[in-house]
Amino acid sequence: MQLDVVDELRQPDYTGENRCEPCTVLNLVIAAVAGSLIARKSRLGGLLAIGISIALIYLRGYLVPGTPTLTKRYLPPAVLRWFGKDPDPDVASGLGGTDTLAPVDSDAGPGDADTDSANADDVRSADAAAASESDDAGEADELADASALDLETLFLDHDVLEPCDDRDDLCLTDTFEADWFDEIDAVEESGLDAAAAIDAFGFDADSDDVGLEERGEARTLRSQSGVAGRWPSRAALLADVAASHALESWLPDWDAFDPETKGVVLNGLRMFLETCPSGGDVRMGEEVVESCCSSHEVIAVTCEETGERLFEQRLLDVDA
């Protein structure tokens, strides 16, 4: 019976890794003040009040109802930074962002699989130097540079996108869309796991050293040295793994692209999906992304039937 009460009081959304330290400190201060006031009348009552308050804060993450909402809305970003919290919650934009896994190096021996981010830079530099010696190095270097990448031109030039027939916009070509969904079916059949992601994105890593974490709907590809990618849903990861396989036949030197550039391409391509990888239509609209201590509005592409989010981008980035 006691365990049932504890389970009912527990709030996983606001404890553990999701705990908001500013909320916890604020509520502990409130508990201490309340306990000291009660202790003026009864020392035992004050101790009990503080003890119960600490237990509630431990189990629920807060004592005063509404603390998480008030913190997200009113706590200044500078205060969040004092506690080591990023005031901007992570937007799950797919592969890249943190270069923790190295691209595959065809000349590497078995002992080279253990790489850190510094070694990853060396591998990419070596690949770039080798590419510069080829006849089409100019095109390869330009395509592999995420900062210089023009996605619209890239997709149009390689028949991935074309003008839509029924509106003033761009749509996936029928041929590429068919290839993409063939790959989605193949990935679903073989299984979507860390090994599938490593293979699709061309990482030089052992699947035992990389994990695919689930946190709610989101999926995170993580190695011992950090995060290699975050996706807002399983459907988004499935779309990227399949798209990476499909693009091998559509983009020159796709295997030579570094993870950051692949991430930019795949994230941009995903927003053109009109059919969810798990079935049904998609919709675009404004939604909210939250961390423990802050929240932001994003433009999101979402599967109508399952509610899985395929794409998200902060509204401030869109307005800019």
Side-chain angles (χ1 to χ4, degrees):
M1 184 65 179
Q2 291 178 345
L3 290 177
D4 291 340
V5 173
V6 171
D7 289 338
E8 289 181 6
L9 289 174
R10 199 180 300 275
Q11 291 272 14
D13 290 342
Y14 304 111
T15 57
E17 292 183 356
N18 298 326
R19 183 178 294 277
C20 173
E21 282 85 353
C23 301
T24 300
V25 171
L26 175 61
N27 280 269
L28 286 173
V29 170
I30 293 173
V33 171
S36 63
L37 291 175
I38 296 173
R40 293 181 179 181
K41 299 290 184 180
S42 169
R43 181 173 296 180
L44 178 60
L47 290 174
L48 283 174
I50 292 176
I52 293 172
S53 297
I54 291 175
L56 288 173
I57 293 170
Y58 174 77
L59 292 171
R60 298 177 62 82
Y62 58 89
L63 176 64
V64 179
T67 300
T69 300
L70 294 173
T71 301
K72 291 173 183 178
R73 187 173 299 172
Y74 299 113
L75 199 65
V79 176
L80 292 176
R81 293 190 181 95
W82 291 345
F83 291 90
K85 295 292 184 180
D86 188 348
D88 297 327
D90 290 327
V91 173
S93 57
L95 178 67
T98 303
D99 293 332
T100 57
L101 299 177
V104 169
D105 181 359
S106 59
D107 296 328
D112 295 327
D114 247 348
T115 58
D116 56 17
S117 56
N119 290 337
D121 291 336
D122 294 339
V123 172
R124 285 193 288 275
S125 298
D127 287 345
S132 65
E133 297 175 2
S134 65
D135 293 337
D136 56 353
E139 180 183 9
D141 288 344
E142 182 178 354
L143 290 178
D145 184 358
S147 62
L149 204 59
D150 183 338
L151 291 181
E152 182 175 319
T153 300
L154 176 70
F155 293 148
L156 286 171
D157 286 350
H158 294 89
D159 298 322
V160 173
L161 295 180
E162 64 183 358
C164 301
D165 293 332
D166 56 352
R167 62 187 184 277
D168 184 18
D169 201 352
L170 294 175
C171 294
L172 295 171
T173 61
D174 291 340
T175 308
F176 178 77
E177 185 177 27
D179 281 358
W180 193 353
F181 275 86
D182 284 345
E183 292 292 348
I184 287 174
D185 292 339
V187 173
E188 283 282 46
E189 184 176 345
S190 61
L192 181 62
D193 53 17
I198 291 171
D199 176 62
F201 302 141
F203 288 133
D204 184 12
D206 192 317
S207 59
D208 293 336
D209 298 329
V210 181
L212 185 58
E213 301 175 357
E214 299 182 15
R215 185 172 171 180
E217 290 289 335
R219 298 293 186 271
T220 300
L221 189 65
R222 188 187 299 272
S223 71
Q224 295 178 350
S225 53
V227 173
R230 292 188 181 93
W231 289 263
S233 67
R234 180 185 184 278
L237 174 60
L238 172 61
D240 279 7
V241 169
S244 186
H245 286 304
L247 287 172
E248 292 174 2
S249 303
W250 289 78
L251 295 185
D253 301 309
W254 173 248
D255 290 339
F257 283 29
D258 62 38
E260 181 183 1
T261 306
K262 284 186 176 180
V264 170
V265 173
L266 294 171
N267 194 49
L269 184 61
R270 205 182 323 122
M271 70 177 297
F272 289 98
L273 278 171
E274 296 184 14
T275 302
C276 183
S278 53
D281 296 331
V282 301
R283 69 174 185 272
M284 179 180 288
E286 296 181 13
E287 298 185 26
V288 176
V289 171
E290 294 186 347
S291 66
C292 70
C293 307
S294 58
S295 61
H296 288 289
E297 290 186 340
V298 298
I299 293 292
V301 176
T302 307
C303 298
E304 288 189 340
E305 291 186 4
T306 64
E308 293 175 288
R309 189 176 296 173
L310 294 177
F311 172 88
E312 59 188 31
Q313 184 172 352
R314 286 188 58 188
L315 262 174
L316 290 178
D317 297 334
V318 175
D319 295 338

